[in-house]
Every structure is written in C-alpha cells, then in structure tokens.
Amino acid sequence: MILRTFGWSFAVTGLGLAAAYYFWGWTGFAIVAILSILEISLSFDNAVVNAGILKKMNAFWQRIFLTIGILIAVFGMRLVFPVAIVAVTAGVGPVEAVRLALNEPDTYQEMVTDAHPSIAAFGGMFLLMIFLNFIFTERHVTWLGWLERPLARLGKIDSFSVGVALAALLVSATVFAGQAYQHGGTYADKTSTVLIAGLAGVLTHLLVGGLSGYFENRLEEDDERAAEAEEAARRAGREPSTMGLAGKAAFFLFLYLEVLDASFSFDGVIGAFAITNHIFWMALGLGIGAMYVRSLTIYLVREGTLDEYRYLEHGAHYAIGALALMLLVSIRYHIPEVITGTLGVGLIAAAFWSSVRHNRVDRAAAAAGGGGSGGEDRPAVAERV
C-alpha cells in the first residue's frame, strides 16, 4: 500500500535530488531537500482537507488528481506562478520575467517581495472563506464544542461567513496595507491593491465552491433516486447509470481542489524566496513536496483515516484559519516560515491525539459492555453535539 501510493513520490524525490546534485552540487542538493521539507510541512493541512473532498470522487478522478493534477500543481503553481507574479506586477512579458529569474535573480526577488501584499490578500481571503464555512456549519461531531456550537448557531444567519470575511478584509486593508512591507525594509501604501486582491479571493471561493457544491448536491439527489430505482432496474434486467452527472460533479470538485491547492501553495512559494531565489531549485524542491502532499491525500482516502480519526479534519481547518490570518498579517509584518509550518502541524497533531484518545475511550467502553462513549471525550476537548 505504501509503495503503491507513494511510489511516484519516492521516484520523483530520487530524480529531483540527483538532478540538483548533478547540475549544482551539494549546495543545490541541500537547498532542494530543505524546500521539499518546507512544502510538506506547510501543506500537510492541505492534504487532510483535500482528502475530505477527494473521498467523494471515484477511482478514475482520484487518478486524474494524482496525475494531471500534479502537473498543474508543479508546473502551474511552483514554476509558472512565480514567473507570472513578476510578469503581472512589474508589467513585463513572461519571457522577460523568465530572463530576470535566470539572469537577474536579485531583481526578480525584489519584484516578488513587492507583490506579496496582493498574493497574501488573495490567498488569505480564499483560505479564510474555507475556514469560516467550516466553523459556521452545524456538525454532529465537534472537536472544541464550547467554541464550535455557538459559532454554528451564528452560521444560520444568511451569508454570515461572507460578512465576517469582508470585515476581516476591511481590517487588513486599513491596519496592515497602509504600510505594507516591501523589498529592502521599506513600506508602501497597498490599501487598494489588498482590497481588490482580497475581493478576488472571496469571489473565487464563492464561484468555484458554489459550482462544486451545486453539482455535489445534484449527485446526492441522483444517488437517492438511483437507490429507489435500483430494485426495479434489477428486476428489468438492467442497471441504472449516473455516469454523466457523476462526471460533472467530480470535474468541478477537481477544479475546486486545484484552486484550493493553489491557495495553499502561496505561503510555500513565498516562503521559498526566504531560502533561495533560484527558480529551478524552487521548482524542484516545491515540486517534490507537492508530490508527497498528493500521495498523502490519496493515502488518507484509501485508508479511511478521516473516518477513523474523527477530529483530524477539524484540526486541518483550524490550521487553515491560522494560515489565513498569518497571510493577512504578513502584508505588513514578516512571519518566520517555521512558525507558519509548525503551527499548522501542531493543530493537526492535537486533533489527531484527541481522536486517538476518543477511540480509546470508545474501545474501553465497548469492552466493558457500555456500547461506546457516545462521542463524549471526558476532558471536554472533544465533544459531540
């Protein structure tokens, strides 16, 4: 199972590190390895959330996600995206941006640093919308029930999550964007830039999430009708087919996953510039990390880990919320990458440990003939509504 799921990741790791050593020696080898670890640590929460979406797809679309999706992730976000940043923000063509990346790396890094406020606003607002939609939705299983239950009640107000997100954007634009950090330790007024980029992040989430949700609901409705008609179809000697609708639903969920991955990649791409401005080292290191994130996503789906560890998805969404806030704060203040990475992993680890403890209580109660804990964890860290 491990080799089947992570085989391509192992192969890409070997080839990538070998290429780094062959062309750039031990220096290139070390930096590519560090960037790989950076990407994995910053994107572990991405894998957990992806798994929650990917488990709704069939095996075909899971393979598409692991093949075509990884090409989009590696070449789109880890190679083309840094170049596109310079091309758009500096008003130069893509070819000129590549020339700057290869021949004038200091100028290229300066341009990327100056573009950070717009990147952070877009990615931060997109991720914040994901967290708010999760935390304002009533759920049967809660992790931090004392917090999640009242927030879920607030979520019954129409468009409440959008209102909170726009309020956060307004605060970010007024508090942080007026003195946005720029290359060389200077500051500039990026209020209008942050507002526009943040609104684009909110609209992107509403559009892509709305489309995927629409087709997902259509698929669920069709599944209910198919279940009712299954017996009649069997008696008639035929099987009902819902391939077309399932294909559309999976397609838009796939698009949602790619946009989600793109937003998660912002911090990794920007963080990579704190280590190197060599475009090919970045592409190799972040690409290797992206492979492991996708393989981990598939592993979580196939092993049913999200069902076994019930609070893992909660921890990942809390990590998303923390990352979104850090991206918005980073418009003005530099946040070390070690904080960004360890905070997300720490929240997921706490959720994992809560799940393990809950499962132990369930097993102990079942062994004692109590029929399980009923979803209540004694320390009140994990509660069931």
Side-chain angles (χ1 to χ4, degrees), residues 137-143 149 310 314 374-375 383-385:
T137 299
E138 190 171 7
R139 299 178 184 280
H140 180 57
V141 175
T142 63
W143 181 31
R149 284 196 295 268
R310 63 188 69 195
H314 292 73
E383 302 174 3
R384 186 185 294 268
V385 178

Side-chain angles (χ1 to χ4, degrees), residues 20-45:
Y21 175 76
Y22 179 81
F23 288 106
W24 302 290
W26 286 111
T27 300
F29 179 93
I31 291 179
V32 168
I34 291 171
L35 288 173
S36 302
I37 297 172
L38 173 71
E39 177 69 9
I40 294 171
S41 65
L42 292 179
S43 301
F44 184 81
D45 49 355

Side-chain angles (χ1 to χ4, degrees), residues 142 150 263 292 339 366:
T142 63
S263 295
Y292 280 97
I339 296 178

Side-chain angles (χ1 to χ4, degrees), residues 195 262 303 310:
L195 282 173
E303 290 294 298
R310 63 188 69 195

